[in-house]
């Protein structure tokens, strides 16, 4: 189930952060953003995507950064905000 996936991803993210693996922590956060969006919780989704963006910027992964910015823009568009 999607809520179970959120729980497992959260656990994985904590493990990645414990070993200072910010890139994979960002991947987990991005996946949690997608799942939250699928569950209809765009505000939480946006928080996860913003968290993922911080991780990807920290490790200078431009590909993941670009995709995450696209996801953030899509959520703002869904919420009716222009930023």
């Amino acid at each position: 189930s999607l809520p179970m996936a959120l729980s497992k991803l959260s656990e994985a993210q904590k493990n990645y952060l414990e070993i200072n693996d910010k890139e994979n922590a960002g991947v987990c956060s991005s996946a949690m953003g997608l799942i939250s969006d699928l569950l209809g919780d765009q505000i939480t989704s946006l928080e996860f995507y913003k968290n993922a963006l911080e991780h990807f910027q920290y490790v200078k992964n431009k590909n993941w950064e670009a995709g995450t910015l696209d996801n953030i823009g899509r959520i703002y568009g869904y919420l009716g905000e222009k930023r």
Side-chain angles (χ1 to χ4, degrees):
S1 73
L2 292 176
M4 176 74 77
L6 274 175
S7 175
K8 295 295 183 183
L9 283 164
S10 179
E11 185 179 328
Q13 184 183 44
K14 288 176 190 169
N15 290 333
Y16 283 126
L17 289 172
E18 283 179 11
I19 61 170
N20 203 32
D21 184 343
K22 294 188 181 287
E23 186 166 54
N24 280 310
V27 171
C28 289
S29 194
S30 184
M32 290 187 287
L34 173 62
I35 292 170
S36 295
D37 187 22
L38 292 172
L39 290 170
D41 187 352
Q42 283 72 37
I43 300 300
T44 300
S45 176
L46 190 57
E47 291 171 10
F48 281 128
Y49 284 138
K50 287 179 178 181
N51 179 263
L53 182 62
E54 289 177 16
H55 291 303
F56 297 140
Q57 288 174 332
Y58 181 85
V59 298
K60 298 180 181 4
N61 186 321
K62 297 293 184 184
N63 289 328
W64 277 98
E65 184 179 344
T68 303
L69 286 168
D70 184 61
N71 289 332
I72 290 170
R74 184 178 47 77
I75 296 295
Y76 276 129
Y78 178 83
L79 295 173
E81 297 184 30
K82 305 280 191 264
R83 292 194 182 187

